[in-house]
Amino acid sequence: MWRVRVRIRPRRRTLGIEVAPDGSVLLAVPADADVKEITETLLANIDRVARAVRRRTAEGAEQPVKELVDGEHFSYLGRSYRLRLQEEPEARVRLVSGWLELPVGEGASAGRRAIVDWYTARGRRWCKEHVSALASRAGVPVPSVGVRDLGGRWGERRTDGSIALHWAVMQMSPPLIELVLAHELTHLRTARHSPVFREQLAMLVPGLEGLERQLAVEAQVVWRGHVREVVRSSAQPLIRST
């Protein structure tokens, strides 16, 4: 049995059928949609929806999921910003007066890529501004720092002496970002998580254990790029004739 929710979207012109990572189904409908047409469109796409539900359920995804609509919340440097969709030709992802603006694109996938790219660019800028001082305190040469998707890890030390941070870290408060960065810098001195490593990291990060507990909690709610999957319908726009 599916769990189905219906949400009215005044800006939509057609029915949107979205499948969340937990397997639930969201019907995003125009304000003037006809119930019969909604039912017919859903039935016409039932096989595709069923496959999407099975795939999502099998994946067992428990990561936070965002819906790219006006008012959705996104965090940056520990602060929350509401999403605002923009239709202007020159629109781009940016922070404006408490809003995270996102150009209206071709769907959830395009919007996701745009926001992830924005976090990535911001992360590179942040790391460039902070790595030198932290590396000096750690007693290591300033490494090259990349920002990208690291899967289940927040940071990574590479064999060539460079390090990387997950783009999603930029949603956290600066002390937690510094913790992740300091962790990888300390690995440039001591490879293994030995008592020596812990001692070096504790000298670099005041209040280490408290910050690590905070990181463990926030790791459960940090968005890693999951957006609702849209099952596109080939039906005609659900708009009543007048």
Side-chain angles (χ1 to χ4, degrees):
M1 181 178 295
W2 299 348
R3 181 159 54 91
V4 180
R5 294 175 294 140
V6 178
R7 185 170 297 176
I8 303 297
R9 297 279 177 72
R11 299 178 63 172
R12 291 196 66 93
R13 295 176 59 84
T14 60
L15 170 67
I17 308 173
E18 305 173 357
V19 182
D22 64 358
S24 62
V25 179
L26 172 68
L27 301 182
V29 303
D32 58 351
D34 182 83
V35 174
K36 180 180 179 181
E37 291 177 309
I38 293 175
T39 303
E40 291 175 349
T41 302
L42 178 59
L43 291 175
N45 287 273
I46 199 71
D47 290 338
R48 298 171 62 190
V49 175
R51 288 196 296 271
V53 169
R54 287 195 296 269
R55 182 172 65 254
R56 288 298 203 180
T57 303
E59 291 171 353
E62 297 181 356
Q63 295 294 332
V65 180
K66 296 292 186 181
E67 193 169 36
L68 303 186
V69 297
D70 287 331
E72 179 67 274
H73 286 265
F74 286 84
S75 295
Y76 174 62
L77 297 182
R79 295 184 59 186
S80 180
Y81 298 87
R82 288 177 296 168
L83 188 69
R84 180 165 60 192
L85 301 181
Q86 294 292 324
E87 297 183 355
E88 289 78 4
E90 302 301 322
R92 57 188 173 85
V93 180
R94 60 178 182 171
L95 289 178
V96 179
S97 302
W99 295 86
L100 178 64
E101 294 188 343
L102 172 69
V104 176
E106 296 300 320
S109 295
R112 174 199 179 278
R113 287 194 300 272
I115 295 176
V116 169
D117 288 347
W118 180 82
Y119 275 120
T120 301
R122 286 292 183 120
R124 289 169 180 158
R125 184 188 310 172
W126 190 95
C127 289
K128 184 177 181 179
E129 294 174 352
H130 292 81
V131 67
S132 295
L134 204 53
S136 177
R137 289 169 49 199
V140 298
V142 179
S144 170
V145 183
V147 178
R148 53 182 174 270
D149 194 324
L150 297 177
R153 292 185 293 178
W154 296 124
E156 177 184 67
R157 174 186 60 88
R158 302 178 65 84
T159 56
D160 62 2
S162 65
I163 61 179
L165 268 60
H166 198 301
W167 61 263
V169 169
M170 301 312 298
Q171 298 168 70
M172 301 179 184
S173 63
L176 294 184
I177 304 174
E178 290 182 357
L179 169 61
V180 176
L181 184 56
H183 186 105
E184 302 310 322
L185 288 171
T186 303
H187 271 311
L188 296 179
R189 295 182 60 186
T190 306
R192 298 182 181 276
H193 290 127
S194 63
V196 173
F197 174 90
R198 293 291 300 173
E199 180 180 342
Q200 292 170 342
L201 183 57
M203 293 179 62
L204 188 59
V205 181
L208 173 62
E209 293 186 358
L211 286 174
E212 288 179 329
R213 287 193 295 270
Q214 185 180 346
L215 177 62
V217 172
E218 293 198 15
Q220 305 302 313
V221 298
V222 167
W223 181 64
R224 301 194 189 212
H226 294 289
V227 295
R228 294 195 184 279
E229 178 179 346
V230 177
V231 181
R232 296 188 180 276
S233 168
S234 59
Q236 295 298 315
L238 297 178
I239 297 181
R240 291 174 176 171
S241 59
T242 57

